[in-house]
């Protein structure tokens, strides 16, 4: 991978960064995304934030090697603390779990005043982000699902607005599977949720063989609820 050609996953994130964005890429690792955008999309200011020393050094040396130090400021720090107030209007956070992305947003709320768009790519648990959007008045405005190297990734784009708008009456389904992705239900979506359903069914059956406790009963109920939601959506697609 280099800064001229992104992975399909990061390309799906890059697509949603406005050309004139003032960007912060949090958890930037090699800084591939801001380097690519500075070279190919025309953004003129970006922060590459990193909490870990190795990735921070790697981001720093890539930015220097590309001659992009005037445009990309590489900063070490936890989450949004690397951003000064009003400094950016777009934030990307990619390649982490949904719960971690959610906690980064929650802990850095004071830095979101000037931010118009969030482009988030959770590796798992996109539901955590959709829930956070609802609780914090961010409206999900688009979603992508892509497959690369046998893994399936979702990209969630949020803007300030009416957080309930995309869901209509189908909140539970939308939170779990993504309202735009449910609507589109392409092959990758079907593949992801068929596999999740199979996995939940396996866990459910394993719990049937385990000693029954209040906890196993609750877990089974939770699994049944999720399996039903997924079945409803996949059935609609087949009809
Ligand atoms: C798997 S990498 C993803 C790199 C890149 N964003 C991508 O999608 O390819 C996750 C990176 O996030 C960084 N990270 C994790 N928690 C962070 C936090 N709270 N603040 C800043 N960076 C963080 C890690 O050090 C790691 O380099």
């Amino acid at each position: 991978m280099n800064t001229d050609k992104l992975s399909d996953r990061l390309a799906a994130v890059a697509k949603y960064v406005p050309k004139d964005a003032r960007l912060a890429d949090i958890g930037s690792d090699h800084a591939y995304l801001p380097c690519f955008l500075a070279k190919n999309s025309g953004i003129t200011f970006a922060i590459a934030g990193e909490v870990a020393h190795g990735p921070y050094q790697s981001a720093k040396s890539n930015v220097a090697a590309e001659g992009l130090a005037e445009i990309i400021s590489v900063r070490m720090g936890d989450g949004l603390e690397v951003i000064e107030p009003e400094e950016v209007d777009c934030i990307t956070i990619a390649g982490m779990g949904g719960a971690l992305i959610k906690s980064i947003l929650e802990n850095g709320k004071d830095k979101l005043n000037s931010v118009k768009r969030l482009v988030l790519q959770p590796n798992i648990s996109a539901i955590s982000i959709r829930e956070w959007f609802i609780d914090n008045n961010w409206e999900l405005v688009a979603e992508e699902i892509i497959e690369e190297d046998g893994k399936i990734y979702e990209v969630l784009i949020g803007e300030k607005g009416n957080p309930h708008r995309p869901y209509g009456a189908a909140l539970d389904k939308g939170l779990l599977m993504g309202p735009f992705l449910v609507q589109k239900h392409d092959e990758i979506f079907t593949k992801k949720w068929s596999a999740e359903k199979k996995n939940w069914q396996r866990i459910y059956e394993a719990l049937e063989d385990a000693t029954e406790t209040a906890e196993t009963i609750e877990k089974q109920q939770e699994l049944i609820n999720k399996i039903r939601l997924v079945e409803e959506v996949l059935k609609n697609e087949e009809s």
Side-chain angles (χ1 to χ4, degrees), residues 23-113:
L23 174 72
D25 181 43
I26 303 301
S28 199
D29 200 354
H30 305 275
Y32 289 143
L33 180 65
C35 285
F36 174 86
L37 289 167
K39 285 165 78 178
N40 298 286
S41 154
I43 63 165
T44 54
F45 175 74
I47 297 166
E50 251 301 334
V51 76
H53 192 67
Y56 166 77
Q57 288 300 348
S58 157
K60 260 221 143 352
S61 59
N62 281 340
V63 167
E66 297 283 356
L68 294 171
E70 301 258 301
I71 296 177
I72 303 170
S73 169
V74 182
R75 301 181 189 172
M76 184 138 164
D78 186 358
L80 307 193
E81 77 175 21
V82 296
I83 306 171
E84 296 298 326
E86 315 293 315
E87 208 177 10
V88 301
D89 55 24
C90 180
I91 295 177
T92 51
I93 312 179
M96 304 174 205
L100 177 55
I101 294 177
K102 173 182 167 167
S103 79
I104 288 174
L105 294 170
E106 184 62 30
N107 294 336
K109 267 184 184 173
D110 56 322
K111 301 293 173 57
L112 295 176
N113 291 338

Side-chain angles (χ1 to χ4, degrees), residues 3-239:
T3 58
D4 291 313
K5 171 104 180 69
L6 293 176
S7 62
D8 291 349
R9 177 181 63 80
L10 281 179
V13 174
K15 193 172 123 185
Y16 287 95
V17 176
K19 292 196 185 319
D20 59 352
R22 294 177 62 81
L23 174 72
D25 181 43
I26 303 301
S28 199
D29 200 354
H30 305 275
Y32 289 143
L33 180 65
C35 285
F36 174 86
L37 289 167
K39 285 165 78 178
N40 298 286
S41 154
I43 63 165
T44 54
F45 175 74
I47 297 166
E50 251 301 334
V51 76
H53 192 67
Y56 166 77
Q57 288 300 348
S58 157
K60 260 221 143 352
S61 59
N62 281 340
V63 167
E66 297 283 356
L68 294 171
E70 301 258 301
I71 296 177
I72 303 170
S73 169
V74 182
R75 301 181 189 172
M76 184 138 164
D78 186 358
L80 307 193
E81 77 175 21
V82 296
I83 306 171
E84 296 298 326
E86 315 293 315
E87 208 177 10
V88 301
D89 55 24
C90 180
I91 295 177
T92 51
I93 312 179
M96 304 174 205
L100 177 55
I101 294 177
K102 173 182 167 167
S103 79
I104 288 174
L105 294 170
E106 184 62 30
N107 294 336
K109 267 184 184 173
D110 56 322
K111 301 293 173 57
L112 295 176
N113 291 338
S114 59
V115 175
K116 298 197 180 97
R117 178 174 285 191
L118 296 170
V119 186
L120 309 170
Q121 183 269 301
N123 288 342
I124 53 165
S125 189
I127 187 173
S128 307
I129 293 172
R130 296 191 189 99
E131 285 171 347
W132 187 88
F133 276 4
I134 295 261
D135 292 343
N136 292 279
N137 290 322
W138 283 81
E139 180 176 328
L140 190 63
V141 295
E143 293 173 309
E144 295 268 333
I145 189 164
I146 64 135
E147 184 172 18
E148 184 169 49
D149 298 334
K151 291 199 188 114
I152 294 177
Y153 302 101
E154 288 164 82
V155 181
L156 278 56
I157 297 90
E159 294 181 354
K160 283 166 187 154
N162 173 359
H164 291 282
R165 196 192 325 254
Y167 296 96
L171 183 63
D172 285 352
K173 238 180 263 173
L175 284 175
L176 182 66
M177 304 171 83
F180 296 97
L181 302 177
V182 168
Q183 196 66 34
K184 192 170 167 216
H185 59 246
D186 63 8
E187 257 173 52
I188 302 172
F189 174 88
T190 305
K191 187 171 169 182
K192 174 184 169 76
W193 292 106
S194 303
E196 294 278 9
K197 192 181 105 174
K198 234 184 235 160
N199 188 35
W200 292 334
Q201 279 165 334
R202 233 186 344 252
I203 300 170
Y204 183 90
E205 279 155 27
L207 286 172
E208 292 249 271
D209 297 335
T211 313
E212 191 177 285
T213 63
E215 209 178 313
T216 61
I217 292 171
E218 193 188 330
K219 182 76 197 159
Q220 278 186 306
Q221 193 52 53
E222 192 189 303
L223 288 166
I224 285 185
N225 292 343
K226 291 203 287 191
I227 289 167
R228 284 202 184 124
L229 286 176
V230 170
E231 276 175 347
E232 260 176 58
V233 171
L234 295 187
K235 222 182 285 160
N236 286 347
E237 185 198 34
E238 280 152 14
S239 64

